[in-house]
Amino acid sequence: MTTFMRTDSGYRKILENKLYDSYIHKHIRYPVIDEEKWKLLLFLVEQHQSLTPLQREKYIISTMLVQIALDTHDFVPIKQKADTENEMVKKQLQVLSGDYYSGLYYLLLSEAGEIAFIRTLANAIREINEWKVTLYYEEHLPLETWLDIKMKLNASVLVHVAKYLHGPELESVIQNWLMYRRLDTEEADYGYSLLRTEWEARNNKATSMPQIDDKLIRDYGNAVYDALSQLSGSNLFMEQFIYSQETNEPRTSRL
């Protein structure tokens, strides 16, 4: 954990320099970094001892650029027509800034010759877009299926990076951990999960989603520890990360 803690601020500064654009940020919000994903990403990369310092930097920065690009696109309003010219400009810049951040990841890795890692992140993007299409067109998904897709969407980028670096075994740990932390944070901040609001809006409140209470949060938490118990020796380092994060403060901050 020593290397992970020592390099956080250095990697963050590099990311901030890559993201900053005075014109874009004059009109739209600064990108928001999900601290939970950031810490997990740094840990996953730092645990791969054979990577060079340059590879670690490229993997961390490019992965977070992809995550921020996807998150930025999610902020774009769904409605087709903007009410004002200013709103239209903001919407266009939101889309373009997401494309810009995504393009930066490709440039960063292609210059370094990291073709395999480009393919890894591209597969994550493709997978996420497929799930988004499912959510958009499948109007009557059962709640359990909808939650499962939301969990996979939330974790897909880091799952693909973990598979590339450490094999497929960490998928369940990462998916359930990030969902657990999201629900726990939103419950603390708002008294309920934003997922419930989204579910009710999707169903016009005709089918209300049960309160995201301690039981559902515990279900995801228990799933994390069940997944940890299934890990082989080479991936037991994930226990170190999970236990170290249990008392940490959440989650997002502006760069």
Side-chain angles (χ1 to χ4, degrees), residues 103-117:
L104 284 177
Y105 106 81
Y106 182 83
L107 177 64
L108 193 65
L109 292 176
S110 61
E111 288 178 342
E114 292 286 350
I115 305 304
F117 200 66

Side-chain angles (χ1 to χ4, degrees), residues 80-145:
Q80 297 295 318
K81 187 176 181 180
D83 294 331
T84 66
E85 182 177 351
N86 184 54
E87 186 178 309
M88 180 182 69
V89 170
K90 286 185 177 181
K91 184 175 181 178
Q92 291 172 338
L93 284 174
Q94 199 82 53
V95 174
L96 291 173
S97 61
D99 293 342
Y100 171 68
Y101 302 144
S102 186
L104 284 177
Y105 106 81
Y106 182 83
L107 177 64
L108 193 65
L109 292 176
S110 61
E111 288 178 342
E114 292 286 350
I115 305 304
F117 200 66
I118 289 175
R119 189 178 300 113
T120 294
L121 294 179
N123 286 338
I125 294 170
R126 173 187 54 78
E127 185 177 76
I128 286 170
N129 288 333
E130 289 174 353
W131 281 326
K132 286 182 176 179
V133 168
T134 298
L135 290 178
Y136 186 81
Y137 286 105
E138 295 290 339
E139 296 182 0
H140 303 294
L141 289 172
L143 175 59
E144 184 177 342
T145 302

Side-chain angles (χ1 to χ4, degrees), residues 73-233:
H73 281 152
D74 285 342
F75 285 125
V76 178
I78 296 176
K79 66 179 182 177
Q80 297 295 318
K81 187 176 181 180
D83 294 331
T84 66
E85 182 177 351
N86 184 54
E87 186 178 309
M88 180 182 69
V89 170
K90 286 185 177 181
K91 184 175 181 178
Q92 291 172 338
L93 284 174
Q94 199 82 53
V95 174
L96 291 173
S97 61
D99 293 342
Y100 171 68
Y101 302 144
S102 186
L104 284 177
Y105 106 81
Y106 182 83
L107 177 64
L108 193 65
L109 292 176
S110 61
E111 288 178 342
E114 292 286 350
I115 305 304
F117 200 66
I118 289 175
R119 189 178 300 113
T120 294
L121 294 179
N123 286 338
I125 294 170
R126 173 187 54 78
E127 185 177 76
I128 286 170
N129 288 333
E130 289 174 353
W131 281 326
K132 286 182 176 179
V133 168
T134 298
L135 290 178
Y136 186 81
Y137 286 105
E138 295 290 339
E139 296 182 0
H140 303 294
L141 289 172
L143 175 59
E144 184 177 342
T145 302
W146 185 80
L147 282 172
D148 185 62
I149 292 175
K150 297 297 287 188
M151 179 179 72
K152 291 175 179 176
L153 277 170
N154 188 46
S156 181
V157 173
L158 288 185
V159 164
H160 277 267
V161 171
K163 285 181 179 179
Y164 181 82
L165 295 175
H166 305 289
E169 200 176 46
L170 299 179
E171 180 174 0
S172 181
V173 177
I174 292 172
Q175 287 178 344
N176 284 285
W177 170 252
L178 290 177
M179 194 67 159
Y180 165 76
R181 295 293 270 191
R182 172 180 175 172
L183 294 176
D184 189 44
T185 301
E186 291 178 355
E187 181 77 12
D189 290 347
Y190 308 111
Y192 60 90
S193 170
L194 299 181
L195 284 173
R196 178 161 66 91
T197 304
E198 186 178 344
W199 173 259
E200 290 177 345
R202 174 186 175 88
N203 291 276
N204 296 317
K205 295 191 176 180
T207 307
S208 181
M209 182 176 176
Q211 178 76 19
I212 303 297
D213 57 11
D214 290 341
K215 180 184 182 302
L216 187 53
I217 295 173
R218 285 198 306 271
D219 286 345
Y220 283 109
N222 289 336
V224 172
Y225 292 105
D226 287 344
L228 285 176
S229 71
Q230 304 296 319
L231 294 180
S232 60

Side-chain angles (χ1 to χ4, degrees), residues 11-106:
Y11 289 135
R12 191 182 294 267
K13 186 63 177 177
I14 295 170
L15 178 62
E16 182 179 11
N17 290 337
K18 291 286 184 184
L19 288 170
Y20 182 73
D21 184 286
S22 59
Y23 177 76
I24 291 176
H25 298 148
K26 179 181 178 181
H27 296 278
I28 63 173
R29 61 184 295 179
Y30 277 91
V32 175
I33 183 170
D34 186 314
E35 293 294 336
E36 212 64 69
K37 292 177 183 177
W38 173 254
K39 289 182 288 188
L40 178 55
L41 172 63
L42 263 63
F43 186 80
L44 289 170
V45 173
E46 291 294 333
Q47 291 304 305
H48 200 290
Q49 300 299 320
S50 66
L51 296 177
T52 67
L54 181 60
Q55 283 178 310
R56 293 180 184 183
E57 177 187 316
K58 299 298 184 186
Y59 288 6
I60 288 168
I61 302 305
S62 61
T63 299
M64 194 49 61
L65 283 171
V66 168
Q67 186 65 64
I68 290 173
L70 292 164
D71 293 343
T72 299
H73 281 152
D74 285 342
F75 285 125
V76 178
I78 296 176
K79 66 179 182 177
Q80 297 295 318
K81 187 176 181 180
D83 294 331
T84 66
E85 182 177 351
N86 184 54
E87 186 178 309
M88 180 182 69
V89 170
K90 286 185 177 181
K91 184 175 181 178
Q92 291 172 338
L93 284 174
Q94 199 82 53
V95 174
L96 291 173
S97 61
D99 293 342
Y100 171 68
Y101 302 144
S102 186
L104 284 177
Y105 106 81
Y106 182 83

